[in-house]
Amino acid sequence: MSVVKINVLTVPAEQREVLEKRFASRAHAVEGSDGFEWFELLRPVEGTDTYLVYTRWRDEESFRAWMEGPMKSAHQGGAEGGERPRPAASGSTLWSFEVVQQAGPKNA
């Protein structure tokens, strides 16, 4: 059964462009991970400063393997001079879900 992980990021208005550029610069970093099924970065439209980072995985084990391997490595890398850039988000919460039903468009 697939699992969905939604990282809820609080991003001040002045950091939105920074966040989006960082995601764009590593847009394909997750695609080759075993068990990875889908990714979306969702920008808030009105009334909130919360971005949603949606990922879907074959199972919990696939997500954990990515978290402990490629994702951890990507977030520990420093910039030249040894300093890591400051986070664009001021807060983060991870939501976890199991997919119990799904549907797609009907074929015409």
Side-chain angles (χ1 to χ4, degrees), residues 2-7 23 30 35-42 52-58 63 66-67 94-97 99:
S2 292
V3 296
V4 169
K5 302 295 181 172
I6 300 174
N7 195 0
F23 270 93
V30 71
F36 169 76
E37 296 178 354
W38 199 258
F39 162 84
E40 291 178 322
L41 175 62
L42 306 176
L52 300 179
V53 182
Y54 174 100
T55 57
R56 182 174 167 144
W57 300 86
R58 176 181 58 228
F63 173 73
W66 175 74
M67 285 286 291
L94 183 65
W95 295 344
S96 299
F97 300 88
V99 176

Side-chain angles (χ1 to χ4, degrees), residues 10-106:
T10 304
V11 183
E14 66 274 8
Q15 291 294 327
R16 285 181 166 198
E17 186 176 344
V18 171
L19 179 90
E20 292 179 21
K21 283 182 178 179
R22 288 181 185 169
F23 270 93
S25 72
R26 58 178 195 252
H28 304 290
V30 71
E31 292 174 8
S33 298
D34 184 47
F36 169 76
E37 296 178 354
W38 199 258
F39 162 84
E40 291 178 322
L41 175 62
L42 306 176
R43 175 194 301 138
V45 177
E46 57 186 34
T48 184
D49 58 358
T50 303
Y51 276 71
L52 300 179
V53 182
Y54 174 100
T55 57
R56 182 174 167 144
W57 300 86
R58 176 181 58 228
D59 50 35
E60 185 69 28
E61 293 74 26
S62 298
F63 173 73
R64 283 192 206 139
W66 175 74
M67 285 286 291
E68 290 303 315
M71 194 285 297
K72 191 174 190 177
S73 296
H75 283 82
Q76 288 179 343
E80 288 187 32
E83 286 191 39
R84 290 178 52 200
R86 293 179 47 120
S90 62
S92 174
T93 301
L94 183 65
W95 295 344
S96 299
F97 300 88
E98 290 181 336
V99 176
V100 294
Q101 285 187 357
Q102 62 185 18
K106 291 183 178 182

